[in-house]
Amino acid sequence: QVQLVESGGGSVQAGGSLRLSCAASGRTLSGYTMAWFRQAPGKEREFVVAIRMSDDNTAYVNSVKARFTISRDNAKNTVYLQMKSLKPEDTALYYCAADPTPSWAKVFEEKEYDYWGQGTQVTVSS
């Protein structure tokens, strides 16, 4: 059992920054792949970024690669998403997800992840 709690969402103007946190409890994340997904109103949930906790390997969707940075703090069992130069199209509910038996080739697939947080809202205004 892994519980994930996201925080750090909010409302910002275009060009602003936010830092999201995903705190895990129940299991140590070492050996996991952690990811952020997002879902905008009227759209399906999409992959944003992932990090392999064992070696810091990362994967980003192209639309955020130059602006978002995922990081980890293994001691705190926490992952972060630093978002800069935010755009209105970044507006979405952001979910943290955990895969305890990672397959890097499937890192983009929602079904790869066994645990999900409740989401934190990010709203970017023009």
Side-chain angles (χ1 to χ4, degrees):
Q1 291 283 356
V2 174
Q3 295 80 44
L4 305 175
V5 179
E6 304 100 329
S7 62
S11 298
V12 297
Q13 293 185 331
S17 300
L18 285 172
R19 189 192 192 204
L20 307 184
S21 298
C22 175
S25 61
R27 300 284 186 182
T28 299
L29 295 180
S30 179
Y32 281 55
T33 291
M34 301 295 296
W36 292 93
F37 289 76
R38 66 187 182 185
Q39 186 169 23
K43 297 183 178 180
E44 296 187 8
R45 189 161 55 188
E46 65 173 354
F47 172 85
V48 180
V49 62
I51 186 167
R52 192 157 61 191
M53 301 299 285
S54 61
D55 62 1
D56 210 32
N57 197 21
T58 58
Y60 294 82
V61 69
N62 287 337
S63 62
V64 308
K65 187 177 297 183
R67 301 181 294 116
F68 291 9
T69 302
I70 191 170
S71 61
R72 59 174 166 85
D73 187 336
N74 288 19
K76 295 182 178 180
N77 222 31
T78 299
V79 296
Y80 305 94
L81 181 62
Q82 179 67 57
M83 305 184 295
K84 300 180 179 179
S85 301
L86 283 162
K87 303 175 180 179
E89 52 262 45
D90 295 318
T91 295
L93 187 64
Y94 283 70
Y95 295 93
C96 181
D99 178 8
T101 56
S103 174
W104 197 243
K106 300 180 180 179
V107 68
F108 304 103
E109 301 293 329
E110 290 186 27
K111 293 183 177 180
E112 178 69 11
Y113 298 87
D114 295 334
Y115 304 102
W116 294 81
Q118 81 290 346
T120 185
Q121 179 67 40
V122 172
T123 302
V124 185
S125 60
S126 300

